[in-house]
Amino acid sequence: MKRLLIYAVILTLSSTAIIAPSYASTRTDDGRVIHIDGNAQFPPTRWGIFRHTFRLHVPKNSKAITQILIKVPNNVTVSNDVSNIDVVDENQHKVNTNISVNGQIILLAFPEAVAPNTKFEIELKKIKRQNLGNGSVYSFSAKEVGIDAEIPIGVASFRLY
């Protein structure tokens, strides 16, 4: 009986040691491309009117960015009223942004390029989602200073539960 208990404890500890590192991953600040740090929805409902928030990070080794292009999924409706879109830095100060909405595409143009080593949030308010599919996937791309091409930087998804 003692031997069985010892084996159970050893198996539990060893499997914890193997599994735990995969859950803890720190993102270093030495990247070269802007990336999405996370996203959130409030309130967490299946349909109705709600808010989507995206956290983006411009690493210290990257170039400054001049534009962010967001492709909105087909099952989401974004208001054409640009006052429903906010861009704030990590200190919750509003970032100077020219915003335009053209159907399912949101263009955020920064008159003053967003410098490297900057974190900011994009908040889309009064979002409406039809109950189609099992989630929504936004695609993001950016333009860096000195580069005219759009660089894909990732996707952000919201699952329905």
Side-chain angles (χ1 to χ4, degrees):
M1 186 65 155
K2 286 183 184 181
R3 184 175 280 176
L4 183 61
L5 182 61
I6 290 171
Y7 287 139
V9 169
I10 290 172
L11 179 64
T12 303
L13 290 176
S14 63
S15 61
T16 303
I18 291 170
I19 295 170
S22 65
Y23 290 113
S25 66
T26 59
R27 206 171 262 242
T28 60
D29 197 27
D30 59 358
R32 294 187 176 268
V33 179
I34 180 176
H35 55 267
I36 302 166
D37 271 347
N39 56 308
Q41 175 178 308
F42 184 81
T45 60
R46 286 173 117 3
W47 58 83
I49 298 174
F50 45 89
R51 176 180 71 223
H52 279 166
T53 304
F54 309 96
R55 289 178 301 281
L56 280 76
H57 180 210
V58 183
K60 66 181 177 184
N61 292 333
S62 70
K63 293 183 178 183
I65 60 167
T66 58
Q67 288 183 354
I68 298 283
L69 183 78
I70 305 170
K71 293 180 184 169
V72 179
N74 291 332
N75 64 344
V76 172
T77 304
V78 177
S79 170
N80 286 335
D81 184 4
V82 295
S83 67
N84 290 326
I85 300 172
D86 288 331
V87 181
V88 295
D89 64 14
E90 59 190 329
N91 297 322
Q92 298 302 309
H93 296 113
K94 194 165 179 128
V95 175
N96 186 14
T97 311
N98 296 328
I99 303 168
S100 64
V101 179
N102 186 8
Q104 297 300 104
I105 296 178
I106 301 171
L107 178 65
L108 307 173
F110 303 104
E112 301 165 12
V114 177
N117 203 22
T118 302
K119 295 179 182 179
F120 62 97
E121 290 184 354
I122 300 168
E123 186 173 275
L124 307 178
K125 302 175 192 170
K126 296 187 180 177
I127 299 291
K128 295 178 185 174
R129 178 175 49 218
Q130 298 94 24
N131 198 13
L132 300 173
N134 68 347
S136 305
V137 179
Y138 290 80
S139 297
F140 287 78
S141 54
K143 284 189 179 180
E144 295 180 340
V145 171
I147 300 174
D148 196 32
E150 291 177 11
I151 301 167
I153 59 173
V155 296
S157 62
F158 296 93
R159 293 212 37 158
L160 296 177
Y161 297 103

